[in-house]
Amino acid sequence: MNRTVETVGERKSFAGATPVTVKVQPHDTAGNPSPAAENYHDLVNGNVISYGSIAQVATQVITVTFDPPVAGPVDMQPGQVASGSYKIKTVVVSTADGSKIESEYPVSRDLTYVGREALQTEMGTFNACKFTNKQTTGTGETAFVTTFTTWVAAEGAHRGQLLKIHTLPADSRPEVTTERIKMTYTPK
């Protein structure tokens, strides 16, 4: 199982807004860290809003922007579905020569609130909200479907934070489970 450390940081300008930054530091099954990414989220009018991310990987800086930002209600009832469509815009810039590659893909999703359950993790047991998210990326013959199951802390100091995600691709890619092992909060 892969492990991830998240650190919530200060607000920064991104995609025309000033969302909260979340540094995400993945680790592989042997505990080796992968390059970190900085994700941009906020809570606006009862919706969790995701704006995108920036990551530096080897000799590239990758910026992903959601257009429009991805939104989902905080207060959902079991069985309730939040559907939406957006575009994933990706800009990859070489740190060596500044060259740039841009791409854009349509995405549709159906986020379903399954309900509450106790989730045992390395950080302890959490009262968690469980969701499934069926996501279709692309169109026609190039489209692929991925189903994610996520658990989010329902209460306490980590309320609203992603605790665990299980990814089940519809194609031949392997299933992946990622669990948070540490969350550090910095003052805002």
Side-chain angles (χ1 to χ4, degrees):
M1 179 182 330
N2 296 324
R3 309 245 185 251
T4 301
V5 176
E6 287 191 357
T7 305
V8 177
E10 57 193 336
R11 292 182 175 276
K12 288 186 180 176
S13 180
F14 184 84
T18 311
V20 175
T21 61
V22 179
K23 180 182 177 185
V24 179
Q25 179 70 64
H27 294 73
D28 65 19
T29 54
N32 301 312
S34 299
E38 195 164 78
N39 294 338
Y40 298 90
H41 304 283
D42 214 342
L43 178 61
V44 179
N45 298 324
N47 287 296
V48 175
I49 309 291
S50 296
Y51 294 90
S53 64
I54 297 177
Q56 182 160 352
V57 181
T59 60
Q60 301 173 328
V61 175
I62 303 168
T63 303
V64 176
T65 307
F66 304 133
D67 184 21
V70 180
V74 172
D75 188 17
M76 294 177 74
Q77 300 303 312
Q80 182 178 348
V81 178
S83 297
S85 296
Y86 56 97
K87 292 179 183 174
I88 295 177
K89 295 182 176 183
T90 304
V91 178
V92 179
V93 178
S94 168
T95 56
D97 64 10
S99 61
K100 182 187 320 187
I101 299 171
E102 298 183 41
S103 62
E104 185 175 293
Y105 301 96
V107 176
S108 62
R109 70 159 186 161
D110 292 317
L111 177 69
T112 304
Y113 177 50
V114 177
R116 296 254 183 127
E117 67 179 47
L119 178 68
Q120 178 64 42
T121 73
E122 286 188 22
M123 295 186 301
T125 301
F126 289 87
N127 183 8
C129 295
K130 182 179 180 180
F131 298 88
T132 59
N133 183 2
K134 182 179 178 186
Q135 180 173 295
T136 303
T137 304
T139 57
E141 292 181 19
T142 62
F144 63 93
V145 176
T146 305
T147 301
F148 306 92
T149 302
T150 57
W151 291 262
V152 176
E155 55 194 34
H158 300 296
R159 181 175 183 246
Q161 298 300 310
L162 180 65
L163 299 168
K164 182 177 180 178
I165 184 168
H166 178 79
T167 306
L168 181 61
D171 58 18
S172 61
R173 291 176 295 158
E175 293 182 38
V176 176
T177 299
T178 301
E179 182 178 297
R180 305 299 185 229
I181 58 170
K182 181 179 178 184
M183 287 187 273
T184 305
Y185 292 86
T186 56
K188 300 203 180 7

